[in-house]
Amino acid sequence: MLRLVLASANPDKVREIVALLGAVPGLELVARPSHVPEVVEDGETLLDNARLKARALRTATGEAAVADDTGLEVEALGGAPGVESARFAGEDATYAGNVAKLISELDRVGAVTPDRRRARFRTVALVAFPDGDELWAEGEVRGTIATDPRGSAGFGYDPVFVPDDSGGRTFAELTSDEKEAVSHRGRAFRELARRLADRG
Amino acid sequence: MLRLVLASANPDKVREIVALLGAVPGLELVARPSHVPEVVEDGETLLDNARLKARALRTATGEAAVADDTGLEVEALGGAPGVESARFAGEDATYAGNVAKLISELDRVGAVTPDRRRARFRTVALVAFPDGDELWAEGEVRGTIATDPRGSAGFGYDPVFVPDDSGGRTFAELTSDEKEAVSHRGRAFRELARRLADRG
């Protein structure tokens, strides 16, 4: 039995990770202990940040830790918000604040038509083992940014991200099963599960 | 550190339980192991079912286990669906199937106006300890059943349950923080956390 402590305390992310890894045989998923302090996510890449979070938790607990970092990269904004996605509208940004900032930035640069609003979501998920070993996987989904938020499922930028081949629906208009089948986080964690199984 | 294994493998419920208990000091929450078989929920009350699930998991793992059972009780239907809420439309019922059945049953009995559509959600949350001790808590929220589903947050009957004092919004139109502040499950798990803290 491999015991994995989850670095994320965000219930929305925990929901998805449990949905994605909860049925993997031989894994025991443990919620982040409340006494472990948060780490400053000042890495330059998603991989840096996932590693920072997983290593800090491994150090605090002495156990294998899994962390992920996710970024929304918008072409017309030169790849922004990227690693800044969670705090695009400021340090204490809300989901709605980040979405509003994204829409206003796209307006500001005149990116109105769908082909000017191309974007991708990327997740890097990483396990840091007590022996220093690390395993990681990446997932990506391409799409466009809607002009107005639609739907109330999901979280974060979901109400304005329209994945390709979704019939024009945003992530927030998909069921959680539909979202996880194609999402960046779904792809990253399924690949991570395969790599964990290969490692044995 | 009290280690609690979660009986529910439903990601939506896990999300709420982690949001409600994740910050409680001294608790370690562990996801349901994938090898533990499901238990038949044939109790006559919510407390019976929560106890059945927690005891079965405690037996399978030898550890303290927490389970909850939730029912929607509709006055005009004599308290139905109650303990049958998760399978109102049949054994493999979907959330949408159960909602559709509820609406059609209310139509059938002619319960059209809000005062004829009164309902309450109840949750019983129970911890079974390895030494045979048990702790439980109950949470309740009153409201009415909407005539049509609205909103896509939450899960289950959330799109048709309008809690009192929500300004007419369904649970599925509230943010998760708003829902957890007043919900049956929020109230049950906050009370359970207090009882766990009192027990020490």
Side-chain angles (χ1 to χ4, degrees):
Chain A
M1 182 71 78
L2 172 62
R3 198 176 134 90
L4 276 186
V5 186
L6 306 186
S8 182
N10 176 326
D12 295 314
K13 286 194 180 183
V14 171
R15 186 208 175 287
E16 293 195 353
I17 296 168
V18 167
L20 292 160
L21 296 185
V24 175
L27 273 194
E28 176 177 292
L29 302 178
V30 181
R32 179 189 181 83
S34 60
H35 65 274
V36 177
E38 297 220 7
V39 66
V40 180
E41 299 181 35
D42 57 0
E44 291 186 8
T45 66
L46 300 178
L47 178 57
D48 287 346
N49 279 335
R51 190 173 270 143
L52 274 171
K53 291 185 275 191
R55 286 183 178 176
L57 184 59
R58 177 191 59 193
T59 300
T61 62
E63 302 195 88
V66 61
D68 73 286
D69 203 44
T70 291
L72 176 65
E73 299 171 354
V74 182
E75 274 183 26
L77 303 179
V83 286
E84 305 294 332
S85 294
R87 49 189 178 276
F88 195 32
E91 274 307 315
D92 296 314
T94 60
Y95 293 155
N98 283 330
V99 165
K101 164 108 180 204
L102 176 63
I103 289 176
S104 79
E105 286 293 299
L106 282 168
D107 283 348
R108 198 177 54 77
V109 301
V112 178
T113 55
D115 65 299
R116 293 287 327 279
R117 298 172 81 93
R118 294 292 300 163
R120 63 174 185 170
F121 256 129
R122 282 205 308 134
T123 289
V124 174
L126 183 142
V127 178
F129 294 94
D131 65 4
D133 198 8
E134 291 180 357
L135 260 188
W136 60 278
E138 185 175 329
E140 175 184 317
V141 57
R142 293 171 181 270
T144 55
I145 304 299
T147 49
D148 292 292
R150 293 197 310 272
S152 53
F155 62 102
Y157 295 93
D158 286 354
V160 288
F161 187 82
V162 181
D164 294 341
D165 306 318
S166 70
R169 290 178 297 165
T170 68
F171 264 158
E173 293 178 310
L174 302 184
T175 67
S176 43
D177 286 348
E178 288 174 328
K179 179 185 171 191
E180 279 148 23
V182 300
S183 79
H184 46 304
R185 189 168 290 106
R187 288 173 172 158
F189 275 93
R190 282 190 297 270
E191 178 61 23
L192 189 70
R194 280 189 288 271
R195 293 185 187 181
L196 284 166
D198 288 347
R199 187 177 186 270
Chain B
M1 183 71 77
L2 172 62
R3 196 175 135 92
L4 276 187
V5 186
L6 306 186
S8 182
N10 176 328
D12 295 313
K13 285 194 181 182
V14 171
R15 187 209 175 285
E16 293 196 352
I17 296 168
V18 167
L20 292 161
L21 295 185
V24 175
L27 273 194
E28 176 177 290
L29 302 178
V30 181
R32 180 188 181 83
S34 60
H35 65 273
V36 177
E38 297 219 8
V39 65
V40 180
E41 300 182 32
D42 57 1
E44 291 186 9
T45 66
L46 300 178
L47 178 58
D48 287 347
N49 279 335
R51 188 173 271 143
L52 273 172
K53 291 185 274 190
R55 287 183 178 176
L57 184 58
R58 177 191 59 193
T59 300
T61 63
E63 301 195 90
V66 60
D68 74 285
D69 203 44
T70 291
L72 176 64
E73 299 171 353
V74 181
E75 274 183 26
L77 303 179
V83 287
E84 304 294 331
S85 295
R87 48 188 180 276
F88 196 32
E91 273 308 315
D92 296 312
T94 61
Y95 293 156
N98 283 330
V99 165
K101 163 106 181 207
L102 176 62
I103 289 176
S104 80
E105 286 293 299
L106 282 169
D107 284 349
R108 198 176 55 77
V109 300
V112 178
T113 55
D115 65 298
R116 292 289 325 279
R117 297 171 81 93
R118 296 291 301 165
R120 63 174 184 170
F121 255 131
R122 281 205 309 134
T123 290
V124 173
L126 182 143
V127 178
F129 295 93
D131 65 5
D133 199 8
E134 291 180 357
L135 260 187
W136 60 277
E138 185 175 328
E140 174 183 318
V141 57
R142 291 172 183 269
T144 55
I145 304 301
T147 48
D148 293 293
R150 294 196 309 271
S152 53
F155 62 101
Y157 294 94
D158 287 354
V160 288
F161 187 83
V162 181
D164 294 340
D165 307 318
S166 72
R169 290 178 297 165
T170 68
F171 265 157
E173 293 177 311
L174 303 184
T175 67
S176 43
D177 286 348
E178 288 174 328
K179 179 186 171 191
E180 280 149 21
V182 301
S183 80
H184 47 304
R185 189 168 289 106
R187 287 173 172 159
F189 276 92
R190 282 192 296 271
E191 177 63 24
L192 189 70
R194 279 189 288 273
R195 293 186 187 180
L196 284 167
D198 288 346
R199 187 177 186 271

